[in-house]
Amino acid sequence: MNEMSTSSHAAELEASPICANAPVGMLAELTHRCPLQCPYCSNPVELERVNTELSTQAWCRVMKEAGELGILQVHLSGGEPTARKDLEEIVKAAVDAGLYTNLITAGVLLTKERLQRLADIGLDHVQLSIQDVDAENADRIGAYKGGSAKKREVAGWVKELDLALTINAPLHRQNIHNVEKIIDYAVEAGAQRLEIAHIQYYAWALKNRAALMPTEEDFMQTARIAKAAQERLKGILVIDFVVPDYYAKYPKPCMGGWGRGIMNVTPSGRVLPCHAAESLPGLTFDNVADRALRDIWLNGEAFNLYRGTDWMKEPCKSCARKEIDFGGCRCQALALTGDAANTDPACSLSENHANWAKVAREESHKPPPDFIYRRMGAKTP
Amino acid sequence: MSEATRPTRLIVEAQTKPKMPRHIKLRHDAGRDAWLLLAPERVFSPDPIAVEVLKLCDGSRSVTDMAAQLARDFQAPEETIRADILEMLQDLADKGVVKS
């Protein structure tokens, strides 16, 4: 049995009642509001304000269009999606559209009654983030007092309501020593799945890179621990381990390849091929208010720009791995090399890779600076 | 949580009665003309044999019952089928797709 992939180029995308090469997933960022202030937040540096957010009705229409396009799973994310009072209505629209529904939440705003309502509507899966297993450290990282205790409570409700549970623990130098305990936490919480994802240094996380970057030795140790746990916990817990780009040999196929498997809708309705794509200058993004989701997927300028392999330069162009990793992340290539069509510096074939890995090694061996926390409405440092 | 209540790995045997948990969804996708298995943040494309096996995973049939049924439906030796589906179901259990 194989994991699904949609392997095709734009030219092969033919019109049909339900698109045969539709994206597998849609990341729906319902709001950028969030009670936590994680220093590695993946949301863009410039957050979208509450008064620009799509209405309930617009989100419900997006869900319907997603189902009709052939999208299989919707990841209801943010910010913190439970900050929206109309989450129940949006989930209902997603369920009615036949989408597999995944709530990506920090959990701290949830009540048991609300989770019960969401389960009754047909929510399939909850992905609950934790900042650490050490409550004090967790609450310091997320800058939210009492968050850790609340999350344990929420994990209990998820199990009680017979919803599927993923624990998502972003890993960095300030919680990396607890990776074994994080695995235990997920088992004890009765999770089906654990995501141990080393931080990716885009957006806000880039500002805090020196405070977050682990040493290569510590990273290697977590890789060994995760591998052993995957074997030991077979049939109990699925563990997805995400490597930090800075110590990787090859880049990750960002979003499974640009315009290939995932579409991302921002709180104001802009449709992106990747949640960091707004960092690419000169790119225009369609809005769900102006254009049908299906049309955006098939014909949107932003989706076609880096779709497939025609846009590539060397060393990607002649690389045997070009349809495995698709040259990595466009946004990272731009941020660190000045050209989005360059090879992602995560790739060892990139001329920027050696220097980049050196930065990581140097930063990770210095004492960590204080976190730079983000507060909505505050000035960007 | 005590050791006694910690979850354990399901070892699939002839008398096991596998079923798909509520959060695992088997469906035929018209647009892709394919059977798909939807799981938390994953989509699997089961092969035609796996689809037939999964359709029988209702929690009331044992692996032995399933092998007998498939042997009738596909006119194949029951012994071989049972051995094959035991292996397949163990793999599915390890991926979290079936439980007992």
Side-chain angles (χ1 to χ4, degrees):
Chain A
M1 191 165 63
N2 296 317
E3 286 198 40
M4 171 97 186
S5 67
T6 54
S7 55
S8 102
H9 304 289
E12 294 165 22
L13 300 170
E14 298 287 339
S16 62
I18 300 177
C19 181
N21 297 302
V24 176
M26 176 170 75
L27 188 64
E29 295 176 348
L30 300 184
T31 176
H32 277 162
R33 288 172 283 149
C34 184
L36 271 63
Q37 293 167 35
C38 304
Y40 45 77
C41 182
S42 64
N43 283 149
V45 171
E46 295 298 330
L47 297 175
E48 293 180 0
R49 302 306 170 105
V50 61
N51 59 5
T52 68
E53 288 178 8
L54 289 181
S55 66
T56 310
Q57 203 184 11
W59 272 119
C60 291
R61 183 172 49 76
V62 169
M63 297 303 158
K64 188 166 178 285
E65 288 185 20
E68 287 167 355
L69 171 57
I71 288 175
L72 302 170
Q73 302 199 336
V74 62
H75 310 287
L76 302 157
S77 176
E80 174 50 48
T82 62
R84 283 200 62 133
K85 292 191 174 71
D86 55 359
L87 181 62
E88 286 87 336
E89 287 165 81
I90 297 168
V91 170
K92 181 162 191 315
V95 170
D96 288 347
L99 299 168
Y100 191 96
T101 48
N102 174 21
L103 180 66
I104 299 181
T105 179
V108 300
L109 301 179
L110 272 169
T111 61
K112 192 177 177 186
E113 291 68 32
R114 191 167 199 208
L115 194 60
Q116 171 84 63
R117 282 200 300 277
L118 292 167
D120 290 345
I121 290 166
L123 181 70
D124 293 300
H125 173 231
V126 176
Q127 186 198 107
L128 182 67
S129 66
I130 61 166
Q131 281 63 38
D132 193 2
V133 286
D134 171 347
E136 200 179 313
N137 197 39
D139 293 356
R140 177 184 70 88
I141 294 167
Y144 190 90
K145 210 168 182 303
S148 188
K150 179 68 191 276
K151 284 160 185 277
R152 281 186 191 268
E153 206 180 356
V154 172
W157 300 337
V158 174
K159 287 318 292 172
E160 215 179 302
L161 295 167
D162 196 27
L163 293 165
L165 176 65
T166 287
I167 297 292
N168 179 13
L171 216 60
H172 47 81
R173 70 188 287 184
Q174 305 210 25
N175 65 6
I176 197 166
H177 54 287
N178 278 332
V179 65
E180 293 267 23
K181 289 181 185 163
I182 287 170
I183 295 167
D184 282 346
Y185 179 107
V187 173
E188 286 175 14
Q192 285 81 18
R193 184 171 167 272
L194 169 65
E195 212 173 296
I196 314 176
H198 276 274
I199 298 302
Q200 306 302 313
Y201 297 92
Y202 320 136
W204 198 264
L206 192 55
K207 293 186 187 299
N208 282 299
R209 189 178 62 192
L212 295 164
M213 182 69 72
T215 64
E216 187 167 21
E217 297 72 26
D218 283 350
F219 152 64
M220 292 297 285
Q221 176 67 3
T222 62
R224 282 190 292 272
I225 291 170
K227 194 163 181 241
Q230 281 166 338
E231 192 51 39
R232 185 177 77 240
L233 297 171
K234 203 187 250 189
I236 296 169
L237 184 70
V238 175
I239 301 176
D240 286 335
F241 181 74
V242 180
V243 170
D245 282 334
Y246 283 66
Y247 298 130
K249 189 172 178 198
Y250 297 117
K252 283 187 268 299
C254 183
M255 311 306 277
W258 184 277
R260 198 162 163 271
I262 310 277
M263 57 200 319
N264 183 105
V265 184
T266 76
S268 68
R270 299 213 282 171
V271 189
L272 317 177
C274 155
H275 62 273
E278 284 169 308
S279 66
L280 300 176
L283 222 54
T284 51
F285 299 102
D286 293 303
N287 193 297
V288 293
D290 310 321
R291 208 169 168 182
L293 210 54
R294 175 200 169 87
D295 189 28
I296 297 174
W297 174 253
L298 292 175
N299 307 313
E301 184 202 345
F303 279 86
N304 281 328
L305 190 57
Y306 299 114
R307 186 177 254 152
T309 56
D310 289 347
W311 57 272
M312 286 179 177
K313 305 200 290 192
E314 294 296 353
C316 292
K317 199 171 180 165
S318 60
C319 182
R321 293 178 55 86
K322 70 177 176 185
E323 294 198 28
I324 297 171
D325 54 39
F326 294 90
C329 172
R330 297 307 90 232
C331 309
Q332 191 152 262
L334 175 83
L336 297 156
T337 76
D339 182 350
N342 275 340
T343 303
D344 183 344
C347 183
S348 52
L349 300 173
S350 160
E351 59 187 31
N352 301 286
H353 185 74
N355 184 44
W356 195 45
K358 190 164 151 266
V359 168
R361 284 191 186 98
E362 284 171 4
E363 284 184 353
S364 66
H365 280 99
K366 285 184 193 153
D370 288 341
F371 287 141
I372 302 164
Y373 287 106
R374 148 154 77 191
R375 282 167 182 82
M376 215 170 190
K379 253 181 83 179
T380 302
Chain B
M1 188 185 282
S2 70
E3 280 299 315
T5 56
R6 280 175 82 98
T8 52
R9 181 188 183 198
L10 168 65
I11 302 297
V12 181
E13 295 168 314
Q15 71 275 19
T16 305
K17 295 177 175 172
K19 66 178 175 199
M20 283 182 275
R22 197 180 75 157
H23 62 267
I24 301 290
K25 294 181 169 173
L26 177 69
R27 72 155 82 133
H28 187 264
D29 186 86
R32 296 173 180 85
D33 190 24
W35 282 91
L36 300 174
L37 197 55
L38 305 185
E41 298 184 46
R42 271 186 169 70
V43 178
F44 296 105
S45 48
D47 64 30
I49 301 164
V51 171
E52 294 309 317
V53 172
L54 285 165
K55 282 180 188 167
L56 298 177
C57 290
D58 59 5
S60 68
R61 289 181 176 89
S62 68
V63 174
T64 303
D65 298 338
M66 291 163 67
Q69 173 82 47
L70 292 168
R72 280 196 300 277
D73 292 351
F74 295 93
Q75 291 160 12
E78 195 175 325
E79 286 287 307
T80 318
I81 290 186
R82 189 163 59 230
D84 285 353
I85 68 174
L86 272 170
E87 195 182 318
M88 178 191 291
L89 286 164
Q90 185 63 57
D91 179 52
L92 292 169
D94 288 346
K95 290 189 166 95
V97 170
V98 296
K99 60 178 189 178
S100 64

